[in-house]
C-alpha cells in the first residue's frame, strides 16, 4: 500500500469513527441489532429421535399461506394453480421482453455478432395465463393425448413452458422434463425410455429433432414454440411425425368442448430427468402430492410478500429448483419476468450496445441462482475493483471491511450501501431483497462477498430432484456462511453414520453423517429403475425416505452444513481423505479459474487439478512472465512455465482458503476446451461428470502423476 492510499485509509478511519460515535445511538434504537444477533443464534430445529441415527425436525412456524392451503385441501398442482388464479385474477403474472429486431454489431476487433433489440416487458394476467393453459390442454386432448399420458418438454425457460405445464396438470397429463442444453444422446435416451408420443420444444431447438427423430420412433407429434421474428422451417422431418405450432394447439383447444380431468394426489405429475453427473440421466417420479407439499414448505421460507415484488426467471425450468421457485411465485401473486443468461445484464452477450439488459428493465426483487453464476459475479466485481487503481482498491476494501464489521454486530449500513455499493447492486437491477442459491455447495468466501457487496440476504438451500427441491433452507436472519439452514417443514432430516468416511453421529463438536430425508415431498422412485429405487428409497412407519449420499454436520442451532459427498471422497496414499467438491468450491474463487476438476489417485500422495482458465487473467499472468501477447489460448495452456505459475497461484489461494496441505493440488493441467453440456464433460446443470473428464484427460493425469 502506497503513501497516498494509506493516507486515504487513515482519514477514512477518523471520519467513520466520528460518524459512528454520533450515529450509533440512533442506529441502535432504529435497527434493534441485538434482535438480529439473537435470531441468528436461536434454535431452528430439534432432535426428535435417536433411533437409527439422529432425526431432526424444524421448529419454525408455518406461514399463513401454508395454513390456508391446508384448509382448502390443496394437494395437487391443478388445485394449486386454480387457487392462485382465483386469488390473483387480473394481476400481472408472466412477463416476456418484446423482441423488436436482431441486428449485426461490429466489435472492436472487427468481428460481427448478432445482437437483440429489445423493448419493454409485455405481461399476461393470471386470467390470461389460465385461458391459454386451458386451451393448450384441450388442444392436446383433441390431438389424442389422454389423461395419464405423457408429453416431453425440451425447451428453454420461457412463459410458454410454464403455461404448458399448467395446462398438463389440468388434464392429468404427466410432464417429462429434459434440459434444453442436453446432448442429442441424452434426449434420445429420455424419449425412448418414456416412449413419449408428444414433444414440446422451441423454434431454436427444432433442427435437433431431424437427428433425434431418426433414433426415437415413439414420437408422433412435435409441437414448437414460435419465434417472434423468424418462421420455423418444418421441412425434412419424418412423414409420420405431425408438426404443430404452440399457438395453433391453443387455438384448436379454445374451440373444444372437452372438460378437465383433475389428477389425484398420488398421480405422477412429473418425470424429471436428473442431470446425470455419474451416468445416464435418471427419471425421478414426482407425484402431485410431492410437488404441492414442497410448495407449501417453500411458502414458509419465503416470508412476507410485497405489492412491488417481481421474480426473475432464467434458470432451467427443467431443473426442480427453478420450477419450484416459479410455482411458489405464481401461487403468491409475485409476477414472473423471464430472462436468459445472454440478455440478463447490460453487458450480456446478446444485448446491443446502448440497450438495457433484462435486470435493468425488470428490476426484480427476488431471484434464484446457482454457485457457478455467483462465482462469476464475485470474480467480475473483483476485476472491476482491480481496475480502479490502488486508491480505488483501498477505498473498496476499507468500506467492505467496515460494513462487514457492523453486519456481524447486527447493524445495517444504509449510508455506505448508498454511496459505495449502489453501483454493484445495479448489476442485478438494484432492488433485489431476496437472493437464493441452490444446486451445489457455495464457497463461504463467495457467500460472504456477494451478501456484503450486493447488500442482500443470500439464502442457501439444499434439496434434490428426488425430494422436490426440499430439504433445508437458511433464513434471512442467518449471519453465517457455508451452511444450508434447518429442515423445511415438509420433511425430517436424519444423520446416519458413514463408517467408510469416518463420519459418525458421535463426532464432536458436531454430529456428522449421511443425510437421509423423509417426508411427503420424497419422490415415488426412479422411472423403470426398480433396483436403483430400492437402493435409494425406503419406507419407515408410513413415511418415505431418501438416501442422499451427501455428508453433513448439524450445528447447535439445528442448521446443517454440507461437508462432503460419498462419490466425491478420495483416500490418498497417506491415509488422508480429500473431499473433491470441497476443494473445487474453494479454488473456483481464484481469479485464474473459470472451472476446475480435482482428481485424486488412491495410490498417490497428492491430488491434481484440471483447470479451465479465465482467459483474461491468464493473459495478464502470461504478460507478467514476459510471454508474447499474441499467444492463443491453446498456446498459453500448453506452456509449461505458465502452468507452473498457475500452480503457484492456486497453491497460495488454497492456503489462504485454509485448505489442508494434502488438499492442495500438486500439479495442474490447463485445459483450452470450455466444458459445456454438449461436450459431455458437464451436466446440463453444469455439474462435473468426473468419469467423463477423467477419461478425456487421462493422458494429462498420467503425465501430472509421472
Amino acid at each position: 500500500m502506497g503513501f497516498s492510499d494509506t493516507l486515504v485509509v487513515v482519514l477514512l478511519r477518523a471520519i467513520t469513527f466520528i460518524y459512528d460515535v454520533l450515529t450509533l445511538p440512533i442506529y441502535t434504537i432504529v435497527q434493534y441489532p441485538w434482535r438480529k444477533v439473537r435470531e441468528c443464534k436461536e434454535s431452528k430445529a430439534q432432535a426428535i429421535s435417536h433411533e437409527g441415527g439422529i432425526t431432526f425436525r424444524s421448529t419454525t412456524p408455518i406461514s399463513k399461506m401454508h395454513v390456508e392451503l391446508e384448509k382448502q385441501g390443496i394437494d395437487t398442482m391443478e388445485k394449486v394453480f386454480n387457487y392462485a388464479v382465483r386469488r390473483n385474477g387480473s394481476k400481472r403474472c408472466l412477463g416476456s421482453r418484446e423482441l423488436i429486431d436482431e441486428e449485426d454489431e461490429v466489435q472492436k476487433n472487427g468481428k460481427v455478432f448478432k445482437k437483440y433489440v429489445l423493448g419493454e416487458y409485455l405481461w399476461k394476467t393470471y386470467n390470461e395465463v389460465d385461458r391459454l393453459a386451458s386451451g393448450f390442454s384441450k388442444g392436446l386432448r383433441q390431438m389424442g393425448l389422454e389423461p395419464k399420458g405423457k408429453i416431453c418438454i425440451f425447451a428453454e425457460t420461457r412463459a410458454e413452458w410454464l403455461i404448458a405445464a399448467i395446462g398438463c396438470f389440468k388434464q392429468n397429463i404427466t410432464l417429462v422434463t429434459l434440459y434444453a442444453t442436453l446432448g442429442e444422446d441424452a434426449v434420445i435416451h429420455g424419449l425412448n425410455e418414456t416412449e413419449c408420443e408428444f414433444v414440446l420444444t422451441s423454434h431454436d431447438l427444432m433442427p435437433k429433432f431431424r437427428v433425434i427423430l431418426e433414433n426415437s420412433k415413439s414420437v408422433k407429434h412435435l409441437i414448437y414454440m414460435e419465434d417472434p421474428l423468424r418462421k420455423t422451417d418444418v421441412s425434412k422431418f419424418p412423414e409420420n411425425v405431425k408438426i404443430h405450432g404452440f399457438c395453433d394447439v391453443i387455438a384448436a383447444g379454445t374451440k373444444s368442448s372437452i372438460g378437465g380431468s383433475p389428477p389425484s394426489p398420488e398421480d405422477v405429475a412429473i418425470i424429471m430427468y436428473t442431470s446425470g453427473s455419474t451416468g445416464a440421466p435418471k427419471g425421478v417420479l414426482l407425484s402431485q402430492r410431492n410437488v404441492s407439499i414442497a410448495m407449501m414448505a417453500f411458502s414458509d421460507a419465503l416470508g412476507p410478500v410485497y405489492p412491488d415484488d417481481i421474480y426473475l426467471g432464467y434458470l432451467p425450468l427443467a431443473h426442480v429448483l427453478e420450477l419450484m421457485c416459479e410455482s411458489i411465485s405464481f401461487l403468491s401473486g409475485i409476477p414472473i419476468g423471464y430472462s436468459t443468461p445472454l440478455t440478463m445484464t447490460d453487458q450480456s452477450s446478446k444485448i446491443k450496445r446502448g440497450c438495457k439488459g433484462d435486470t435493468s428493465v425488470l428490476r426484480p426483487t427476488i431471484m434464484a441462482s446457482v454457485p457457478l453464476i455467483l462465482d462469476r459475479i464475485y470474480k467480475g466485481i473483483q476485476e472491476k475493483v482491480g481496475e480502479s487503481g490502488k486508491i480505488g482498491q483501498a477505498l473498496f476494501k476499507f468500506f467492505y471491511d467496515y460494513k462487514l464489521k457492523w453486519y456481524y454486530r447486527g447493524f445495517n449500513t444504509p449510508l455506505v450501501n448508498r454511496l459505495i455499493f449502489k453501483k454493484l447492486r445495479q448489476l442485478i437491477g438494484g432492488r433485489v431483497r431476496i437472493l437464493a442459491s441452490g444446486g451445489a455447495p457455495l464457497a463461504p468466501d463467495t457467500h460472504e462477498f456477494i451478501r456484503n457487496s450486493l447488500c442482500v440476504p443470500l439464502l442457501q438451500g439444499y434439496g434434490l430432484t428426488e425430494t422436490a427441491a426440499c430439504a433445508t433452507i437458511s433464513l434471512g436472519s442467518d449471519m453465517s456462511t457455508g451452511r444450508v439452514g434447518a429442515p423445511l417443514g415438509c420433511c425430517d432430516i436424519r444423520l446416519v453414520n458413514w463408517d467408510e468416511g469416518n463420519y459418525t453421529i458421535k463426532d464432536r463438536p458436531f454430529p456428522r453423517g449421511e443425510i437421509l430425508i423423509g417426508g411427503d415431498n420424497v419422490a415415488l422412485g426412479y422411472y423403470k429403475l426398480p433396483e436403483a429405487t430400492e437402493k435409494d428409497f425406503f419406507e419407515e412407519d408410513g413415511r418415505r425416505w431418501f438416501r442422499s449420499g451427501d455428508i453433513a454436520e448439524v450445528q447447535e442451532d439445528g442448521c446443517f452444513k454440507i461437508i462432503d459427498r460419498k462419490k466425491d471422497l478420495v483416500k490418498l496414499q497417506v491415509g488422508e481423505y480429500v473431499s473433491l467438491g470441497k476443494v473445487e468450491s474453494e479454488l473456483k474463487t481464484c481469479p485464474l479459474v473459470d472451472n476446475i476438476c480435482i482428481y485424486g489417485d488412491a495410490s498417490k500422495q497428492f491430488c491434481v487439478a484440471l483447470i479451465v482458465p479465465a482467459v483474461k487473467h491468464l493473459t495478464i499472468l502470461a504478460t507478467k512472465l514476459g510471454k508474447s501477447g499474441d499467444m492463443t489460448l491453446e498456446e498459453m495452456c500448453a506452456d509449461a512455465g505458465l502452468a507452473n505459475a498457475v500452480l503457484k497461484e492456486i497453491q497460495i489461494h488454497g492456503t489462504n482458503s485454509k485448505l489442508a496441505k494434502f488438499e492442495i493440488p500438486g500439479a495442474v493441467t490447463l485445459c483450452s476446451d470450455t466444458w459445456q453440456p454438449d461436450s459431455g464433460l458437464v451436466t446440463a446443470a453444469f455439474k462435473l461428470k468426473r468419469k467423463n473428464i477423467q477419461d478425456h484427460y487421462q493422458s494429462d493425469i498420467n503425465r501430472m502423476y509421472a
Side-chain angles (χ1 to χ4, degrees):
M1 187 179 289
F3 174 76
S4 58
D5 32 312
T6 303
L7 181 61
V8 168
V9 171
V10 170
L11 287 172
L12 285 173
R13 281 178 182 161
I15 293 168
T16 53
F17 176 77
I18 295 169
Y19 175 80
D20 292 343
V21 170
L22 294 174
T23 60
L24 184 59
I26 299 170
Y27 282 138
T28 302
I29 293 169
V30 173
Q31 295 187 5
Y32 307 109
W34 62 89
R35 288 186 184 175
K36 296 177 184 177
V37 175
R38 186 180 64 212
E39 284 178 16
C40 181
K41 294 179 179 178
E42 283 176 350
S43 176
K44 284 93 179 171
Q46 63 182 8
I48 60 168
S49 172
H50 288 78
E51 293 184 14
I54 310 178
T55 304
F56 294 87
R57 182 170 293 171
S58 171
T59 56
T60 305
I62 65 174
S63 66
K64 291 181 181 178
M65 173 72 77
H66 192 150
V67 172
E68 178 65 19
L69 293 174
E70 286 189 342
K71 280 184 180 178
Q72 297 273 344
I74 291 176
D75 51 9
T76 68
M77 291 302 286
E78 184 259 352
K79 292 178 182 177
V80 165
F81 286 114
N82 284 346
Y83 171 81
V85 171
R86 290 197 307 270
R87 189 168 177 261
N88 300 300
S90 59
K91 286 184 64 176
R92 292 189 306 172
C93 183
L94 305 183
S96 303
R97 209 149 166 214
E98 183 184 13
L99 178 56
I100 298 171
D101 200 0
E102 190 175 38
E103 297 180 359
D104 291 335
E105 183 178 277
V106 181
Q107 308 303 300
K108 291 180 180 178
N109 59 9
K111 291 184 178 180
V112 178
F113 290 113
K114 293 283 186 183
K115 301 283 185 174
Y116 290 145
V117 180
L118 298 168
E120 296 298 315
Y121 271 87
L122 305 178
W123 292 93
K124 293 178 175 65
T125 66
Y126 277 82
N127 289 332
E128 289 172 326
V129 168
D130 187 55
R131 178 179 58 79
L132 293 170
S134 295
F136 183 74
S137 69
K138 292 178 182 179
L140 293 178
R141 292 288 306 277
Q142 286 281 103
M143 292 159 61
L145 184 53
E146 294 297 319
K148 296 194 177 183
K150 295 184 289 289
I151 180 171
C152 173
I153 303 185
F154 176 62
E156 308 89 347
T157 295
R158 52 195 288 177
E160 293 91 335
W161 202 112
L162 193 61
I163 289 168
I166 297 168
C168 290
F169 294 142
K170 288 177 177 291
Q171 296 289 347
N172 196 15
I173 293 169
T174 300
L175 297 180
V176 176
T177 65
L178 294 170
Y179 290 95
T181 51
L182 281 178
E184 291 170 358
D185 290 344
V187 176
I188 292 166
H189 166 78
L191 290 176
N192 288 342
E193 188 169 75
T194 56
E195 301 176 90
C196 275
E197 295 186 4
F198 289 74
V199 175
L200 174 63
T201 189
S202 68
H203 165 89
D204 289 337
L205 294 174
M206 276 286 281
K208 286 193 173 188
F209 280 89
R210 292 192 175 93
V211 174
I212 291 170
L213 293 177
E214 291 178 4
N215 298 280
S216 183
K217 303 302 182 185
S218 62
V219 178
K220 300 292 187 291
H221 296 271
L222 184 59
I223 305 166
Y224 64 91
M225 304 172 190
E226 298 88 347
D227 184 272
L229 297 180
R230 292 165 292 182
K231 187 176 180 180
T232 304
D233 181 5
V234 296
S235 64
K236 299 179 183 177
F237 284 93
E239 292 183 1
N240 64 322
V241 177
K242 296 180 180 178
I243 313 294
H244 315 267
F246 183 78
C247 292
D248 295 334
V249 176
I250 291 175
T254 303
K255 299 173 186 175
S256 172
S257 59
I258 293 174
S261 181
S264 70
E266 303 311 318
D267 285 330
V268 176
I270 308 169
I271 302 176
M272 182 166 277
Y273 274 84
T274 63
S275 50
S277 59
T278 56
K282 290 182 286 191
V284 178
L285 296 165
L286 292 170
S287 72
Q288 295 280 344
R289 185 191 303 278
N290 290 154
V291 187
S292 57
I293 286 289
M295 287 183 62
M296 292 184 198
F298 273 117
S299 72
D300 299 339
L302 179 62
V305 173
Y306 301 104
D308 64 343
D309 274 333
I310 298 178
Y311 177 80
L312 179 74
Y314 69 99
L315 294 174
L317 264 168
H319 191 291
V320 69
L321 172 64
E322 180 67 13
L323 182 61
M324 293 307 303
C325 287
E326 291 195 24
S327 296
I328 193 63
S329 296
F330 192 102
L331 175 63
S332 303
I334 300 170
I336 302 167
Y338 287 97
S339 178
T340 75
L342 301 178
T343 61
M344 188 181 299
T345 70
D346 297 353
Q347 290 76 39
S348 292
S349 60
K350 275 288 188 178
I351 295 294
K352 184 184 176 184
R353 198 180 297 118
C355 291
K356 289 185 176 181
D358 299 334
T359 52
S360 296
V361 176
L362 188 67
R363 301 192 70 221
T365 60
I366 304 170
M367 63 182 289
S369 191
V370 293
L372 179 70
I373 292 173
L374 295 176
D375 283 335
R376 287 177 177 171
I377 293 174
Y378 169 75
K379 290 175 185 175
I381 294 173
Q382 293 279 31
E383 280 182 21
K384 284 186 177 295
V385 172
E387 293 167 357
S388 64
K390 290 186 177 180
I391 291 179
Q393 292 173 43
L395 279 170
F396 182 85
K397 186 178 188 312
F398 177 85
F399 282 110
Y400 180 91
D401 292 341
Y402 174 85
K403 182 182 175 184
L404 203 61
K405 175 185 72 176
W406 287 109
Y407 173 80
Y408 284 118
R409 294 176 181 178
F411 288 91
N412 190 15
T413 54
L415 186 60
V416 171
N417 293 353
R418 180 179 291 274
L419 295 177
I420 306 300
F421 296 103
K422 185 177 180 180
K423 283 189 177 180
L424 296 180
R425 279 179 58 77
Q426 294 303 322
L427 290 172
I428 52 174
R431 291 201 317 136
V432 173
R433 66 176 186 85
I434 298 177
L435 178 60
S437 176
L442 180 65
D445 287 350
T446 303
H447 190 155
E448 185 175 76
F449 186 86
I450 294 292
R451 181 176 64 190
N452 203 41
S453 57
L454 297 185
C455 313
V456 60
L458 178 50
L459 282 55
Q460 191 171 178
Y462 167 71
L464 306 100
T465 308
E466 290 87 345
T467 63
C470 279
T472 68
I473 194 165
S474 61
L475 302 177
S477 59
D478 192 346
M479 296 181 181
S480 66
T481 59
R483 306 196 307 172
V484 294
L488 282 155
C490 64
C491 61
D492 294 337
I493 305 291
R494 180 181 297 169
L495 287 188
V496 297
N497 294 340
W498 185 39
D499 296 328
E500 184 183 341
N502 295 326
Y503 295 112
T504 78
I505 59 174
K506 293 182 179 179
D507 288 343
R508 294 294 176 265
F510 304 120
R512 304 187 299 175
E514 181 185 359
I515 288 180
L516 275 58
I517 303 160
D520 287 338
N521 60 309
V522 175
L524 303 176
Y526 296 118
Y527 187 67
K528 291 185 178 179
L529 294 172
E531 292 181 3
T533 299
E534 188 175 350
K535 177 186 173 186
D536 293 340
F537 297 85
F538 66 97
E539 297 272 348
E540 182 181 284
D541 298 329
R543 171 163 276 204
R544 193 156 181 79
W545 288 82
F546 174 69
R547 300 180 178 92
S548 72
D550 291 311
I551 310 299
E553 68 178 31
V554 60
Q555 300 183 344
E556 56 192 357
D557 61 351
C559 289
F560 287 77
K561 182 178 183 180
I562 308 299
I563 57 174
D564 224 325
R565 181 162 177 77
K566 280 185 173 182
K567 295 169 185 174
D568 286 354
L569 203 65
V570 174
K571 187 177 183 181
L572 298 178
Q573 189 183 48
V574 290
E576 298 284 5
Y577 283 95
V578 176
S579 171
L580 305 179
K582 171 195 166 186
V583 176
E584 288 159 356
S585 177
E586 294 291 351
L587 296 184
K588 270 183 185 177
T589 60
C590 177
L592 279 162
V593 176
D594 187 62
N595 209 343
I596 184 170
C597 179
I598 301 294
Y599 177 81
D601 187 325
S603 66
K604 307 296 182 183
Q605 295 184 1
F606 60 93
C607 58
V608 297
L610 296 159
I611 295 174
V612 177
V615 179
K616 180 178 178 179
H617 288 280
L618 187 65
T619 304
I620 292 170
L621 182 60
T623 304
K624 284 182 181 178
L625 295 175
K627 307 286 182 182
S628 169
D630 297 328
M631 291 177 74
T632 64
L633 176 60
E634 289 75 14
E635 289 170 339
M636 287 191 289
C637 289
D639 189 287
L642 200 47
N644 285 332
V646 171
L647 175 60
K648 288 178 182 177
E649 293 290 330
I650 288 293
Q651 291 174 336
I652 291 169
H653 189 85
T655 301
N656 293 339
S657 300
K658 298 180 181 178
L659 292 177
K661 189 174 181 180
F662 62 85
E663 293 177 309
I664 298 173
V668 302
T669 289
L670 303 181
C671 308
S672 58
D673 300 329
T674 56
W675 297 347
Q676 298 293 329
D678 56 7
S679 70
L681 301 180
V682 294
T683 70
F686 287 91
K687 294 179 182 177
L688 301 178
K689 289 190 172 183
R690 296 192 184 280
K691 187 65 172 68
N692 292 20
I693 291 174
Q694 180 188 340
D695 292 344
H696 188 78
Y697 293 104
Q698 190 62 61
S699 60
D700 292 300
I701 292 170
N702 294 341
R703 177 182 50 77
M704 285 189 283
Y705 276 124

